[in-house]
Amino acid sequence: MPRRERREFTKEFKSQIVKLYNSGKTKVELVKEYDLTRSALEDWIKKYNNTGSFKASDNRTEEEKEIIRLKKENQQLKMENDILKQASLIMGRK
């Protein structure tokens, strides 16, 4: 079975689909009628009903946000450390 080509949907389309689901249409009906994947539909429903947004950044927990922040900070500190190591090597040669 060939892989389905990735499609992009507008947030207006996604919100309409979620509203249809919330008003009583089943997931099976929506998947068949709009040629969606079940996993995409379930993801849209979960995100929209939790926060009203489909953006991943709006649906992160505080712990996930903290991990992302710490990873960025760690990367920055490693880069600064590498720069200082290079500078000390250069200064040691003089």
Side-chain angles (χ1 to χ4, degrees):
M1 189 167 143
R3 282 185 63 109
R4 173 186 282 204
E5 189 174 316
R6 184 170 175 83
R7 299 175 292 167
E8 295 287 326
F9 298 98
T10 65
K11 55 185 174 178
E12 291 80 15
F13 176 80
K14 292 176 185 179
S15 62
Q16 275 300 114
I17 296 296
V18 173
K19 287 175 186 173
L20 287 171
Y21 171 77
N22 289 339
S23 67
K25 261 204 161 179
T26 66
K27 290 178 186 176
V28 172
E29 291 173 323
L30 292 169
V31 165
K32 285 182 182 177
E33 188 173 339
Y34 295 97
D35 190 31
L36 303 170
T37 62
R38 186 172 179 88
S39 60
L41 176 61
E42 288 173 351
D43 187 49
W44 297 349
I45 292 168
K46 180 179 141 196
K47 285 180 178 177
Y48 190 80
N49 287 339
N50 285 341
T51 63
S53 173
F54 298 106
K55 291 182 180 178
S57 60
D58 293 339
N59 287 284
R60 290 188 181 118
T61 64
E62 290 304 314
E63 291 82 14
E64 290 171 326
K65 290 176 186 174
E66 179 70 4
I67 289 170
I68 290 169
R69 186 190 69 74
L70 290 171
K71 284 182 177 181
K72 286 180 183 178
E73 182 180 338
N74 190 33
Q75 184 178 6
Q76 178 70 26
L77 291 171
K78 283 180 179 179
M79 188 172 61
E80 290 173 5
N81 196 24
D82 288 342
I83 291 169
L84 290 172
K85 283 180 185 177
Q86 290 295 324
S88 68
L89 286 172
I90 292 168
M91 295 304 236
R93 291 182 195 158
K94 290 185 178 186

